[in-house]
């Protein structure tokens, strides 16, 4: 083993040892990335993306700690913190008059099977003005669901409350009609890797076009992830997709910065309407 590998292993272990404390002190925070209707320029929602506000190392991305959290079995606890904080932010955004219409939160298999999930949502999701979407990987259904009855019961309870279900990273390697029909999502999010491949490769472009056509037939909404340039937007929009998330519209931002972004965007929209 090289010194570099040994150093990475030690850093991984140090972070892993700190995760229980970080959960107790709720150092995990949401960063928000806008979701935009390219036809109107309207911000139609935001995805809450987990970050660790580490007291010494600063803000850490999921790649630095999620694998360690999974080994410890603490991902569900991090998800619970993220859900509460994302919903608290949506309340603040609505109260500030920004017009945020939807917030989406990623959920692990462990949290989706937690008996308290529906009651948590019922307790924390109190603003009818902001819709809530739960994002899950399609692979969850095939690889990680040990208690299918609980999983299905929770999904049914969430839907009964009006929560939208989204399949994340669709087309990243395990997408299938079987999984789609089992989960029956309200929206699929086409994975960044496929979107970027479609921008470069006309054949992959046809794959995206086929996904869009299938989604229309099944009455499922579609969002394209990972759109980074105006060229990306133009190419994918021409295929029939209109809702986007990616650097072309905004990078993930911490809560205060995103609230300012929403307020600025709202002010610009009002000014444009007045003109």
């Amino acid at each position: 083993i090289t010194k570099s590998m040994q150093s990475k292993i030690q850093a991984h272990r140090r972070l892993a040892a700190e995760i229980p404390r970080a959960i107790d002190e709720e150092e995990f925070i949401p960063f928000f990335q806008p979701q935009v209707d390219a036809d109107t320029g309207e911000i139609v929602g935001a995805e809450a993306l987990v970050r660790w506000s580490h007291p010494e190392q600063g803000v850490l991305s999921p790649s630095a700690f999620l694998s360690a959290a999974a080994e410890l079995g603490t991902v569900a606890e991090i998800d619970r913190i993220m859900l509460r904080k994302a919903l608290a932010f949506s309340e603040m955004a609505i109260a500030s008059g920004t017009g945020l219409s939807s917030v989406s939160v990623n959920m692990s298999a462990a949290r989706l099977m937690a008996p308290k999930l529906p009651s948590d949502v019922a307790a924390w999701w109190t603003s009818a003005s902001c819709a809530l979407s739960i994002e899950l990987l399609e692979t969850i259904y095939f690889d990680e669901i040990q208690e299918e009855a609980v999983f299905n019961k929770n999904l049914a309870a969430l839907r009964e409350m009006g929560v939208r279900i989204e399949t994340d990273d669709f087309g990243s390697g395990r997408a299938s009609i079987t999984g789609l029909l089992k989960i029956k999502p309200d929206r699929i999010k086409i994975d960044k890797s496929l979107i970027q491949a479609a921008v470069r490769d006309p054949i992959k472009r046809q794959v995206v076009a086929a996904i869009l056509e299938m989604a229309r037939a099944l009455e499922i909404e579609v969002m394209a992830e990972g759109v980074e340039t105006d060229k990306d937007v133009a190419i994918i929009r021409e295929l029939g997709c209109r809702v986007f998330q990616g650097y072309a519209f905004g990078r993930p931002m911490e809560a205060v910065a995103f609230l300012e972004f929403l307020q600025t965007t709202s002010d610009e929209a009002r000014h444009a309407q007045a003109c």
Side-chain angles (χ1 to χ4, degrees):
I1 187 170
T2 66
K3 287 185 177 180
S4 176
M5 291 174 63
Q6 190 171 25
S7 177
K8 288 180 181 178
I9 291 170
Q10 290 173 345
H12 177 86
R13 287 174 177 168
R14 283 195 297 270
L15 277 181
E18 292 188 72
I19 286 175
R21 175 197 56 76
I23 289 172
D24 288 341
E25 298 181 15
E26 297 201 345
E27 292 176 356
F28 296 98
I29 60 172
F31 269 46
F32 296 90
Q33 187 170 31
Q35 299 167 333
V36 177
D37 184 324
D39 289 345
T40 65
E42 178 187 3
I43 297 175
V44 295
E47 180 181 0
L49 300 159
V50 64
R51 300 290 186 269
W52 181 354
S53 181
H54 193 281
E56 296 174 357
Q57 299 185 42
V59 177
L60 301 178
S61 67
S63 60
F65 61 84
L66 273 190
S67 62
E71 291 167 9
L72 291 170
T74 56
V75 173
E77 295 172 71
I78 295 172
D79 285 348
R80 191 169 188 267
I81 293 169
M82 284 290 295
L83 176 64
R84 183 177 57 76
K85 289 187 175 182
L87 289 173
F89 174 83
S90 72
E91 294 276 348
M92 180 174 62
I94 293 297
S96 300
T98 62
L100 180 65
S101 58
S102 176
V103 64
S104 61
V105 183
N106 293 278
M107 284 283 135
S108 64
R111 176 49 53 188
L112 286 164
M113 289 185 291
K116 285 191 65 178
L117 176 60
S119 60
D120 282 345
V121 172
W124 299 332
W125 184 35
T126 58
S127 175
S129 300
C130 188
L132 171 63
S133 294
I134 297 297
E135 296 188 18
L136 60 150
L137 298 174
E138 186 192 45
T139 53
I140 280 177
Y141 206 101
F142 297 107
D143 299 337
E144 301 176 53
I145 297 299
Q146 289 86 37
E147 298 179 50
E148 189 171 325
V150 176
F151 174 81
N152 291 333
K153 181 180 178 181
N154 278 355
L155 282 193
L158 292 173
R159 283 193 161 109
E160 182 69 22
M161 285 187 274
V163 178
R164 290 164 55 83
I165 305 300
E166 301 187 2
T167 299
D168 197 15
D169 294 349
F170 191 83
S172 60
R174 288 290 303 277
S176 73
I177 302 298
T178 301
L180 205 62
L181 294 176
K182 280 184 176 181
I183 296 171
K184 299 176 183 176
D186 299 286
R187 172 187 280 168
I188 58 175
K189 298 179 73 176
I190 303 178
D191 186 64
K192 173 181 177 178
S193 62
L194 182 54
I195 292 297
Q196 289 300 308
V199 169
R200 299 187 303 268
D201 184 348
I203 294 176
K204 296 292 176 60
R205 212 166 294 167
Q206 293 308 308
V207 173
V208 171
I211 291 173
L212 289 164
E213 184 62 31
M214 175 194 66
R216 278 191 289 270
L218 296 173
E219 299 183 334
I220 297 172
E221 296 176 17
V222 180
M223 179 186 295
E225 295 185 286
V227 287
E228 298 183 346
T229 67
D230 291 341
K231 179 184 176 182
D232 295 355
V233 174
I235 289 173
I236 304 303
R237 191 177 177 187
E238 189 175 348
L239 297 176
C241 189
R242 58 181 290 195
V243 183
F244 298 88
Q245 181 179 335
Y247 291 175
F249 298 98
R251 291 175 177 268
M253 295 166 252
E254 54 89 22
V256 173
F258 187 62
L259 189 61
E260 291 174 356
F261 175 84
L262 288 172
Q263 290 169 333
T264 300
T265 304
S266 297
D267 290 344
E268 289 174 352
R270 284 192 290 268
H271 177 73
Q273 289 173 356
C275 294

